[in-house]
Amino acid sequence: MDAFVDIVNSIDAFVWGIPMLVILLGSHVFLTFRTGIIQRKLGTGIKLSVTKDPDAPGDISQFGALCTALSATIGTGNIVGVGTAILAGGPGAVLWMWLTGVFGIATKYSETFAAVKYRVKDHNGNMLGGAMYAWQRAFTRKDGTTPWWARLGAVLFALFAAIAAFGIGAAVQASAMTSVITTNVDAIPDWIGAIAGWLGATGPNPADGAAEAVIGLLIVALVAAVTFGGVKVISRVCEKLVPFMAFAYTIGCIIILAFNWAYIWPALCLIVECAFTPRAAFGGAVGSGLMLALQFGCARGLFSNESGLGSAPIVASAASTRNPARQALVSMTGTFWDTVVVCALTGLVLISTMLGNADLQTALEAGSIAAGAELTSAAFAEIPVIGTPILVIGMILFAYSTILGWSYYGNRCITYLFGKKAIKPYQLLYLVMIFLGAIGVGDVVWTISDITNALMAIPNIIVVLLLSTMIARETKHYVYEGNLDEVDDEPIPQFDDK
């Protein structure tokens, strides 16, 4: 097992090396200026996100698409992922996560613009979209054929995304939910023991060996009840769940920061200092140095907000919108809420709590806290009364919503590759991966998810960069020349998904 972990870590270090960081951050910066610094239209995007456009073509509302995308992005990456980044890259990783989010807003806008512009319909008239369709339609020749390299880009993105969903969407989230419940909820052993005994478990304490399995089965049941209903059911659930969970978690973090008021400024200074210098933090117990902070900050930032990953545009393509720019503006607000707000709050809560608690620092220096989940649980537990409940409830809701969102992404990608006949088998396999994640997947899954994220990001970023001239031209027309209400009357072709 140790050899396997070493191999996975080596692959992760390679794919998230300097070339990938240059591609990711370079694309964020390039697209920021290519779109005329689209971040300054954030207010317009927030306003559009709560504006209904019922007469526009699409399957779900703009707000429903945003909430479904946020359900997939606001997950364990916002809580455990931040702790993992701090342990591996030091406090400076928080700043690089934040900057990845700020510049990533432009990438989220651009990839969504391309996905909506080149979306198609299935045999029932439902919208399909994403980088795979952008690759296929944008470069189609006049005779109707698609170049081999465009088909390859489409297939690679869909394949990597379908596989990545098993990690980032299913196993990682289920593992995090199981861990936070069994670690922090004292009442769990009693009722799980009763269920385990009913299921036939034996021994003096059946709960010891059955807790993860029972929780895993419950997660599978809750996910299946929603995901088999399709995108409309998923979006309706997410429209109600996401605003509540994000607001509640944000308020909880603000209350914790009020407890940590005296350590907020020192925490901010430490984050900035460690982002640009090789200073070790907390007795050398956490990573240090510019490259470590940059690597893990960017990796966890992408894991959290998924800008450049190409995932959110898949559901954005189903939105009712009169032109690509409107939904692109709405979608880019997801990166703002996810990373610029939620991840930043989590990072500040963790660092300020670590600074204000000597026992936590001692545990870090002794090496008794070696994983992101352990750091996050220990830090929140230091806050009296409200700390652990905020973590447990936030983690459960965030992880559950992420599982829902990524189930849709995986379904759309598998539909592109193999047609609608592959959806049910894929859904069943997705549920199996949720259960496997719940019963024993450790931190190595985070590393595997990092790898698959990078692999699916590459074909997505390439197609967005190739289409950046078109995106810039039409953004100028729709956004900067005041034509956001204009209807794009280009016909939407049908895709053979049988």
Side-chain angles (χ1 to χ4, degrees), residues 250-426:
T250 299
I251 294 299
C253 286
I254 291 174
I255 294 174
I256 291 175
L257 290 176
F259 280 99
N260 295 345
W261 179 255
Y263 300 98
I264 292 178
W265 180 250
L268 288 171
C269 293
L270 184 63
I271 288 170
V272 174
E273 183 179 356
C274 289
F276 300 103
T277 65
R279 172 186 170 181
F282 305 108
V286 299
S288 63
L290 173 60
M291 282 309 301
L292 281 176
L294 181 62
Q295 177 184 350
F296 286 97
C298 290
R300 298 305 175 199
L302 177 58
F303 188 97
S304 173
N305 63 56
E306 300 176 12
S307 291
L309 204 61
S311 52
I314 296 174
V315 70
S317 300
S320 298
T321 183
R322 63 186 67 184
N323 60 61
R326 289 174 70 94
Q327 186 57 39
L329 288 169
V330 171
S331 292
M332 78 180 192
T333 66
T335 298
F336 170 76
W337 296 122
D338 177 272
T339 305
V340 179
V341 176
V342 178
C343 275
L345 280 174
T346 302
L348 198 54
V349 164
L350 291 179
I351 299 298
S352 62
T353 302
M354 292 160 72
L355 287 173
N357 291 273
D359 291 343
L360 188 56
Q361 295 182 34
T362 300
L364 284 167
E365 293 172 9
S368 57
I369 296 177
E374 295 173 356
L375 172 60
T376 305
S377 296
F380 275 80
E382 292 294 335
I383 308 301
V385 184
I386 66 169
T388 296
I390 289 173
L391 171 65
V392 173
I393 295 172
M395 179 70 76
I396 292 172
L397 293 179
F398 283 13
Y400 175 66
S401 68
T402 299
I403 292 173
L404 296 182
W406 269 93
S407 70
Y408 177 76
Y409 297 160
N411 287 346
R412 295 298 86 191
C413 290
I414 211 71
T415 299
Y416 175 83
L417 292 171
F418 303 110
K420 65 177 183 178
K421 63 181 180 295
I423 292 179
K424 292 299 182 184
Y426 184 86

Side-chain angles (χ1 to χ4, degrees), residues 210-231:
E212 291 84 359
V214 173
I215 294 173
L217 289 174
L218 289 174
I219 297 172
V220 167
L222 291 172
V223 171
V226 177
T227 56
F228 282 99
V231 66

